[in-house]
Amino acid sequence: MGALIMSHVSNEGFEFDIVQSVSGVTPQAAYSAWAAELGVPATGTVKPLDDNDIAWAVALAAPIVTGGADFAFSSEGAVGVSQRPLQGLSTAFRTLPGVNRMIDMSPASPLLFTFHPQTDCRSEAVTLQRSGSTTILAGRIRVYYAESYVLNFAVRLEPGSLRFILAPIDQPVAFNIFNQRDVALIEPIAMAPGALTRIDVTQLQYQAPVYEAYLSPLHRIGQGAVLNYGKARSNRVAHLSVAEGKVKDLITGLLGKGIGRVYGTVQRKTDPANTPLKRKVRLVRERDGLVVREVWSDAVTGGYDFRYIDELQTWTVIAYDHEHNFRAVVADNITAELIT
């Protein structure tokens, strides 16, 4: 991914982390990959977003921050986040330091992310799709009257986070973040023509919904009818199996569909071939350090397999040597494969 530039923003009620890095893919390729992951078309759009001098209130698949069911998209090149509904609001020009022209919702979005070329711009070829808790959009911003000042973009919006893939084509462009008082929260991120920049905004103030729990009759192991794996019904006891993918785990499937898989082997380095080991392996959710699964690797193959986990999270795998001859081995920043 290249060098990371990390910072923490805390300003007037907003607090989040931001990581800048070199993107390994173009915005178009990133959007196509996201669409394939979500099972939605990579072409077409659920809402037209091509125009000049306008901002739209767009319904989210799931709120980015607590209470905000919408986000704002500006034809000048910006995404706005709010804790309240934006549908039905009007649009207005805004004066922002370091940005010569911007249009947003009125009242203004409390948190605004801009990737605006320094000219009168319009949006075009913008596609928007939604699935589960994820909203994705991509397209380009260019000068209103010519094929110049072009910037290609892709944005992924999920509860508590945004990801931008940005590619200015022929002019430098700055990425800025503004709060509700039109004050820049961080120094502008300058992007040179031809650069591929990835910007991750995480740990936004998002509160997950509260789930109600329903109790069913207790069955002792070895007694009663054969376990019935299937959908819960009001007239019978249902035994839903997370391990077999019969039901979504409310912990490990918090954001996605619970169709991810992380697997591998535990081995000791020996010559001429490594030796498989039986060791305790834990799966840790990186967003909060929660241990969500624990298994013993196979004594013969050294293999371990965590199935039906959240495909939209990043994970850390830790292998422990219970014989205490070696320290624990850690592999972090793991993206789950999709179970097909």
Side-chain angles (χ1 to χ4, degrees), residues 69-96:
D70 310 320
F71 75 98
F73 173 71
S74 172
S75 65
E76 296 286 345
V79 169
V81 174
S82 178
Q83 297 102 331
R84 55 184 173 76
L86 298 176
Q87 301 287 343
L89 299 181
S90 59
T91 61
F93 285 90
R94 298 186 62 189
T95 301
L96 301 174

Side-chain angles (χ1 to χ4, degrees), residues 165-247:
I165 308 293
L166 303 172
I169 303 302
D170 56 355
Q171 299 287 334
V173 177
F175 179 89
N176 290 280
I177 303 177
F178 298 93
N179 70 4
Q180 56 188 337
R181 297 186 180 179
D182 294 349
V183 178
L185 299 182
I186 63 172
E187 291 298 318
I189 296 176
M191 298 175 290
L196 291 175
T197 301
R198 170 174 162 174
I199 299 172
D200 289 286
V201 179
T202 61
Q203 304 301 320
L204 283 164
Q205 297 99 319
Y206 172 73
Q207 181 177 351
V210 176
Y211 295 94
E212 295 183 358
Y214 297 91
L215 300 179
S216 61
L218 175 66
H219 279 240
R220 294 183 181 179
I221 296 176
Q223 299 183 13
V226 176
L227 295 184
N228 175 28
Y229 290 101
K231 295 183 178 180
R233 295 182 181 177
S234 59
N235 61 348
R236 71 178 186 184
V237 178
H239 308 273
L240 304 179
S241 171
V242 171
E244 296 184 7
K246 301 294 185 181
V247 64

